[in-house]
Amino acid sequence: MPATELFARRATLSRSLRLLGAFRFEQSDPDRFYGALADDTVALVSELWRATNGAPPDGLTLLDVGGGPGYFATALTDAGLRYIGVEPDPREMHAAAPRMHRRAGAFVRASGMRLPFADASVDVCLSSNVAEHVREPWRLGDEMLRVTRPGGLVVLSYTVWLGPFGGHEMGPTHYLGGRRAADRYARKHGRRPKNDYGSSLFAVHARDGLRWAHQTGALVAAFPRYHPRWAWGLTRVPVLREFTVSNLVLVLSPL
């Protein structure tokens, strides 16, 4: 069964609109946004695993690289996975603690650039919306592949710079240039954006991820995370995909 077959059935226009509606609460009500995203991520991981392995992911070890305060932890644990979150920033790791009644799983403070795990030690390695926040995103990808066992899954999802949400809280001003957009945000709000271009936000393109994934020899699938199934073909169109694929999912399976 193709890796994306099960999840593709879920990729409807109504799902896309529902997630788009939740996105506007990312800054003002992150629990609401990340709660919806967590449920969708469980479906993504579970259905990719089921399609490639023919069974649910019960009892598997999942490593969430850049897991922040653990918004995905409870949802993935409830789905039967053993959750381990990795986060380098202690402020991020504890950001949601007062608001979260239950945070399942285990958490490690570490960098995704040098994961403190043995080779082939986890079944699934997930990174959701992290690659655009590090200077060397494909070094992150290489580390994810290293720690994932043969036959396991690496799911790397990131925001494409030239897509409509590439500027994060800076909005479409990122089309004026990253530094200019960040400076404009600082003048307007009296503070630097959390996702500050050049320090915590970088221009990562769809072509970059696809080139890296192909050269690993482990690529299983690539598709837009939030688009309906009938729009997935955009991933195959150079230039156009940079502006229309808001978030690219790369699915790899180490040999």
Side-chain angles (χ1 to χ4, degrees):
M1 180 186 296
T4 58
E5 183 173 325
L6 291 176
F7 189 71
R9 299 172 190 172
R10 184 182 297 272
T12 62
L13 180 59
S14 61
R15 165 187 171 266
S16 298
L17 294 174
R18 184 171 64 253
L19 290 172
L20 182 63
F23 180 79
R24 69 181 188 271
F25 296 103
E26 181 183 13
Q27 296 290 316
S28 61
D29 188 358
D31 288 0
R32 179 172 178 176
F33 169 70
Y34 285 105
L37 189 58
D39 291 341
D40 197 73
T41 301
V42 168
L44 174 67
V45 171
S46 298
E47 291 172 8
L48 287 173
W49 184 269
R50 189 185 295 270
T52 53
N53 290 273
D58 296 343
L60 300 181
T61 299
L62 179 143
L63 185 65
D64 183 8
V65 181
Y71 282 114
F72 294 174
T74 298
L76 287 164
T77 300
D78 287 348
L81 291 147
R82 293 194 298 268
Y83 179 94
I84 304 173
V86 173
E87 173 58 48
D89 187 344
R91 294 169 299 180
E92 279 293 307
M93 186 176 284
H94 299 290
R99 301 191 301 273
M100 296 176 72
H101 301 296
R102 180 168 65 97
R103 189 169 72 164
F107 295 82
V108 177
R109 183 183 174 190
S111 170
M113 302 295 103
R114 187 173 294 179
L115 292 169
F117 298 92
D119 295 357
S121 58
V122 303
D123 301 296
V124 181
C125 195
L126 167 71
S127 180
S128 178
N129 299 320
V130 174
E132 70 268 25
H133 300 295
V134 298
R135 293 183 185 276
E136 299 178 88
W138 314 125
R139 182 178 171 188
L140 171 75
D142 288 340
E143 277 290 277
M144 293 174 67
L145 277 171
R146 179 186 66 78
V147 302
T148 305
R149 68 168 175 82
L153 281 182
V154 169
V155 183
L156 197 166
S157 169
Y158 68 95
T159 304
V160 177
W161 173 245
L162 290 176
F165 304 113
H168 288 60
E169 71 266 39
M170 296 182 294
T173 62
H174 72 296
Y175 290 120
L176 303 173
R179 295 191 186 280
R180 182 179 297 177
D183 291 344
R184 184 177 183 274
Y185 181 98
R187 289 194 299 271
K188 180 178 180 181
H189 297 278
R191 65 180 188 281
R192 302 298 298 180
K194 176 183 177 182
N195 300 290
D196 198 350
Y197 186 83
S199 60
S200 54
L201 180 65
F202 302 90
V204 184
H205 302 284
R207 69 167 184 267
D208 301 335
L210 291 165
R211 183 183 299 127
W212 166 78
H214 280 294
Q215 65 87 24
T216 67
L219 181 65
V220 173
F223 57 94
R225 182 170 184 176
Y226 305 125
H227 287 36
R229 176 64 183 88
W230 48 260
W232 283 14
L234 293 168
T235 305
R236 299 191 294 271
V237 185
V239 181
L240 181 62
R241 65 192 174 204
E242 303 295 345
F243 295 92
T244 57
V245 174
S246 59
N247 188 286
L248 181 64
V249 180
L250 301 172
V251 184
L252 304 97
S253 183
L255 303 176

